[in-house]
Amino acid sequence: MDFNQKISRKSFLRTGALALSLPLISQLPSMAKASSKIGLQLYTLRDALSKDLEGTLKKVSEIGYKEVETFGYSDGKFFGKTPKEFKSLLSGLGLSAVSGHYGAGIAAPDKKGTLSNDWKRAVDDSAELGQKYMMCAYLTPDERKSIEDYKKYAVLFNKCGETCKAAGIQFGYHNHDFEFQKLDGQLPYDIITKDTDASLVKLELDLYWAVRAGLDPVELFKQHPGRFPLWHVKDMEKGPDKAFAEVGTGSIDFAKIFAARKTAGMTHFFVEQDVCKRPPLEAIAISYGNLAKMKV
């Protein structure tokens, strides 16, 4: 998403509804003290952030979140601010950006700050912001038409990982479900895990997408121990639609998964909810509260 794009009428109405719901957030059980830092992938709040960046981040902090993962970096800016400006804003609210999502750039060759265009600058800006991780967020359908595409990505990922390593940052890849679907007779995820250097390319496991694809996250941890420093924690509704749900309200067994955190090598995790049926700030408050109750 282009952070500077205009907000649609639908988005505006959603944001308005969100504002009306804010007084309710303080009444949710989400203010319980967490036993560890709970992070948030800011994409969940994309509409609200584009309307009121500082005010929305303040609400994130008030809920109890301490760490965030960015998205939408473009040409030297995070949400329209320089790394120094954005770091100062976060710091003033008791937040830190430990990780960020970045595009591959193959489908948008003119966009700077992607894995394939001006990556060194993106790494330098990430380092200035204080990020410890940089994740390839997503491969568009046009970027993953064949298994040969993934083999080329393995080479690119290793190269990007080397650039990150020189700056003291860990590179990695964030999955959806298509990596677990056979392409040309092979699983793309196997290419990503086997054809990349495990020290240069770590994995950010999106628990929802892995489970939706029929995988057991704990078994993945056992297959690739220590390679999953980051997780996306999101739940799945129990109905046939398997829609996104607030953490602790759906069908995913988080107790079992968190019990295997050492096997995974997990160091940070981020709540994310791609689509929310209730106002997003209310949704992330519910997820925070339930995670705090789990004492993760």
Side-chain angles (χ1 to χ4, degrees), residues 5-264:
Q5 72 184 30
K6 293 182 178 179
I7 303 174
S8 67
R9 181 175 181 273
K10 183 177 181 181
S11 295
F12 179 81
L13 291 173
R14 281 202 305 268
T15 304
L18 180 153
L20 291 173
S21 73
L22 292 185
L24 299 177
I25 291 176
S26 62
Q27 301 172 27
L28 294 170
S30 55
M31 301 305 144
K33 183 175 177 58
S35 57
S36 62
K37 291 182 179 179
I38 299 176
L40 175 71
Q41 164 51 256
L42 292 175
Y43 182 75
T44 310
L45 302 177
R46 53 197 178 277
D47 290 338
L49 288 166
S50 64
K51 178 69 174 178
D52 180 5
L53 179 63
E54 184 170 358
T56 302
L57 290 173
K58 186 173 185 290
K59 291 295 181 184
V60 169
S61 177
E62 288 172 349
I63 288 169
Y65 288 95
K66 300 297 182 186
E67 299 180 338
V68 298
E69 185 175 50
T70 63
F71 73 96
Y73 169 84
S74 180
D75 201 18
K77 298 289 184 67
F78 295 90
F79 305 102
K81 295 186 176 295
T82 66
K84 183 178 181 180
E85 290 170 342
F86 191 54
K87 182 177 183 179
S88 177
L89 172 58
L90 291 175
S91 179
L93 296 171
L95 298 169
S96 63
V98 297
S99 178
H101 273 198
Y102 297 84
I106 303 300
D110 294 332
K111 182 179 180 180
K112 292 186 176 181
T114 65
L115 276 65
S116 54
N117 187 348
D118 209 12
W119 180 242
K120 177 62 166 57
R121 181 186 182 187
V123 172
D124 290 343
D125 286 341
S126 173
E128 186 174 0
L129 180 58
Q131 290 182 335
K132 299 176 183 177
Y133 298 90
M134 297 179 75
M135 296 287 126
C136 177
Y138 178 68
L139 300 176
T140 70
D142 286 341
E143 292 175 332
R144 48 180 166 89
K145 293 181 178 180
S146 71
I147 206 68
E148 291 302 316
D149 289 336
Y150 282 94
K151 292 180 180 179
K152 293 176 182 177
Y153 282 119
V155 175
L156 178 61
F157 291 169
N158 281 331
K159 182 179 178 181
C160 289
E162 290 175 349
T163 305
C164 283
K165 183 178 180 180
I169 296 172
Q170 177 65 63
F171 178 75
Y173 180 80
H174 164 267
N175 68 281
H176 288 76
D177 60 347
F178 53 79
E179 298 90 344
F180 302 108
Q181 299 165 3
K182 283 193 174 183
L183 185 63
D184 301 332
Q186 298 183 62
L187 286 179
Y189 208 67
D190 287 345
I191 301 298
I192 294 170
T193 56
K194 295 176 181 177
D195 290 5
T196 58
D197 185 323
S199 67
L200 295 176
V201 183
K202 298 297 185 183
L203 304 165
E204 179 175 45
L205 191 68
D206 189 300
L207 302 179
Y208 170 93
W209 287 115
V211 172
R212 188 179 177 99
L215 279 294
D216 179 350
V218 176
E219 289 304 312
L220 281 174
F221 301 156
K222 291 177 181 178
Q223 292 170 22
H224 308 285
R227 203 167 178 184
F228 297 91
L230 305 184
W231 298 353
H232 270 190
V233 180
K234 63 179 76 167
D235 215 337
M236 179 187 300
E237 285 188 1
K238 298 174 183 178
D241 292 340
K242 299 181 178 180
F244 300 106
E246 291 72 32
V247 177
T249 68
S251 60
I252 294 179
D253 187 349
F254 291 107
K256 173 186 173 183
I257 296 170
F258 273 96
R261 63 194 300 166
K262 289 185 178 180
T263 302

